[in-house]
Amino acid sequence: MRHIIKDIKVHLVSMPVTGGFSDATRKVEMIGYTIVRLTTEDGVEGFGVTYHEVGGEATKVLIEKNIAPRLIGRDPFETEVIWQDLSQYLRGVGRKGLMFCALSAVDIALWDLKGKLLDLPLYRLFGGSQTKVPVYGSGGWTSYTDEELVEEMKGIVARGYQMVKFKVGYDGGTKPTRDVERVRKVREAVGPGIGIMLDANNCWDAATGARFANMVKEYDIMFLEEPVCADDIPGLKRYKQSTDLPLATGEHEYTKYGARDLIMNNAADIVQLDGTRAGGFTEMLKIAALTQAWNLKFAPHAMENIHIHLVSAFSNALFLERLLLFEEITRNIYRNPPEPEKGFMTIPDLPGLGLKLNMDFIREHDEEFGTVYYIAKDSVGIGSV
């Protein structure tokens, strides 16, 4: 039986962020979701999302004006055919960036629709069986004082997380020894049994990143993320040649080709591509397979409610990342989304993504005709964990 896509709707929900959240290379001023809803002729709806800090408006328009007309009348089970068609059709306006964010949201919606039409959760369609998946709490901005950083990390642990991640690159990455001191303070505060990961957000050159890595190894660090610019693949390789502190990277890469380039250049130990950017589930299944072929670890970036199905299905997948900054908007976008418990998230026993959109909230805050919703410093991280 063929199922035909009849209707496509796109919503943009953005929230200005106040309070000065900065990492080593930028200040976060806006976060949000672009949400794509696909409905078949028989009334079944699937949805997909991509997230943004900038560019949400352009992503929404791209889907509405260029992608949606090519989806009407298509069969949602033809995910490979549709992916190839859209990537070729749009190649002149971007083989990375916003175009692939738009394609990713659409592809995720197609897979959610397939799961609902088959009455199966996606992790089972992907071949998985694990329903409880490890998750770590991610925050700890470089704009925090040492005391604020320690307080937030202790708060994450108090919520039951067994692993935390925070930012390094203090003062724009100009003071690595201050970062070492901040790492020491966090390790002493959370104790020896808690996993610690660090994210430099592209701030250093290879030599500085390696020097820092070698200084913090004594604090039992799980990995250092993006110590150099994500596009500097030779620099990532030089980092790996200079330290044995594992290298995590990939959140700013796109498609299987980006993953291939990282892997073939020995530029990652832990591959972190993001399915809401890199091409959706159709592409992430291939990316995960590449990491298995090279015996690397797979740990998708952020978007824990989407990536939970992939982490369930792949034996080399480590865990999910839950961004504290996105917790409030995520709880409002979805109705009763799963919450971490004792360091794990449980996949809902529902078809597709296992998530239900909160359309009352989405319609109220859709930028096309809704109101603005602010996130302030006291509503995330410090004081709330």
Side-chain angles (χ1 to χ4, degrees):
M1 177 180 177
R2 284 176 58 84
H3 298 271
I4 303 301
I5 297 170
K6 175 184 177 183
D7 184 56
I8 300 164
K9 289 184 171 61
V10 189
H11 306 274
L12 178 64
V13 178
S14 296
M15 303 180 183
V17 177
T18 62
F21 293 96
S22 298
D23 60 34
T25 52
R26 64 173 176 174
K27 180 180 179 180
V28 179
E29 298 176 343
M30 178 78 71
I31 62 172
Y33 286 120
T34 305
I35 304 159
V36 180
R37 297 162 58 211
L38 308 180
T39 307
T40 65
E41 289 181 340
D42 41 351
V44 181
E45 180 181 292
F47 77 89
V49 298
T50 184
Y51 73 98
H52 58 267
E53 294 171 7
V54 293
E57 300 85 355
T59 305
K60 181 177 187 288
V61 171
L62 185 63
I63 297 170
E64 290 176 330
K65 301 297 184 183
N66 301 110
I67 294 178
R70 299 182 74 86
L71 288 176
I72 298 295
R74 305 290 289 266
D75 185 335
F77 282 92
E78 297 173 352
T79 44
E80 183 70 24
V81 174
I82 292 172
W83 198 98
Q84 292 296 331
D85 174 59
L86 291 177
S87 63
Q88 292 298 325
Y89 176 64
L90 297 166
R91 67 187 182 193
V93 295
R95 297 187 303 280
K96 295 187 177 183
L98 294 181
M99 192 282 279
F100 263 91
C101 292
L103 174 56
S104 298
V106 169
D107 184 80
I108 291 166
L110 290 168
W111 278 93
D112 184 45
L113 195 49
K114 289 200 293 185
K116 289 171 177 174
L117 290 167
L118 294 172
D119 196 29
L120 284 173
L122 289 183
Y123 78 94
R124 290 191 59 196
L125 283 180
F126 298 158
S129 62
Q130 183 181 4
T131 57
K132 290 184 66 175
V133 177
V135 59
Y136 68 88
S138 184
W141 302 86
T142 59
S143 51
Y144 287 176
T145 66
D146 291 12
E147 291 73 21
E148 289 173 328
L149 173 63
V150 168
E151 180 184 350
E152 181 167 277
M153 295 301 107
K154 288 172 61 179
I156 295 173
V157 173
R159 291 171 59 182
Y161 287 95
Q162 298 301 303
M163 299 171 288
V164 300
K165 186 170 79 179
F166 61 92
K167 311 290 189 180
V168 292
Y170 186 82
D171 196 15
T174 61
K175 299 175 181 177
T177 54
R178 278 287 290 118
D179 284 303
V180 176
E181 178 69 6
R182 285 159 70 88
V183 172
R184 180 188 65 80
K185 289 180 178 180
V186 171
R187 171 53 75 198
E188 290 177 352
V190 301
I194 299 298
I196 293 178
M197 302 160 240
L198 305 174
D199 187 353
N201 292 107
N202 299 256
C203 76
W204 291 314
D205 56 66
T208 306
R211 177 171 172 263
F212 169 79
N214 289 328
M215 286 192 290
V216 297
K217 284 195 301 183
E218 65 178 292
Y219 301 114
D220 191 21
I221 304 304
M222 296 175 67
F223 64 67
L224 176 60
E225 182 174 338
E226 290 190 333
V228 307
C229 175
D231 295 321
D232 182 11
I233 291 181
L236 293 167
K237 181 177 180 179
R238 287 196 300 273
Y239 167 89
K240 273 180 53 62
Q241 292 171 335
S242 303
T243 181
D244 60 0
L245 183 61
L247 169 62
T249 191
E251 70 172 86
H252 290 108
E253 275 299 344
Y254 297 81
T255 77
K256 56 186 169 288
Y257 301 113
R260 176 204 62 190
D261 291 346
L262 287 175
I263 293 168
M264 294 298 291
N265 284 282
N266 193 26
D269 296 301
I270 300 161
V271 177
Q272 296 178 303
L273 274 77
D274 185 327
T276 68
R277 292 174 174 173
F281 288 128
T282 297
E283 198 72 345
M284 286 293 277
L285 291 167
K286 299 168 187 175
I287 290 165
L290 283 174
T291 65
Q292 286 188 330
W294 265 265
N295 198 25
L296 298 173
K297 298 302 183 184
F298 178 53
H301 168 257
M303 300 299 282
E304 69 281 4
N305 287 293
I306 304 299
H307 291 137
I308 193 168
H309 297 276
L310 288 167
V311 174
S312 168
F314 283 86
S315 59
N316 64 323
L318 293 173
F319 33 55
L320 300 165
E321 176 182 19
R322 185 173 173 92
L323 301 177
L324 269 62
L325 187 62
F326 276 78
E327 285 190 317
E328 185 175 353
I329 187 173
T330 299
R331 290 179 180 129
N332 283 305
I333 289 291
Y334 304 126
R335 292 191 181 278
N336 301 316
E339 294 280 339
E341 185 176 351
K342 297 181 179 179
F344 289 84
M345 288 181 64
T346 301
I347 303 176
D349 187 21
L350 295 168
L353 290 169
L355 299 167
K356 296 182 179 180
L357 292 174
N358 182 354
M359 290 308 303
D360 292 337
F361 177 85
I362 291 169
R363 290 190 179 99
E364 181 181 354
H365 296 94
D366 190 323
E367 286 194 14
E368 186 171 337
F369 49 82
T371 58
V372 177
Y373 172 37
Y374 284 85
I375 290 183
K377 190 172 185 178
D378 60 1
S379 69
V380 61
I382 296 172
S384 69
V385 296

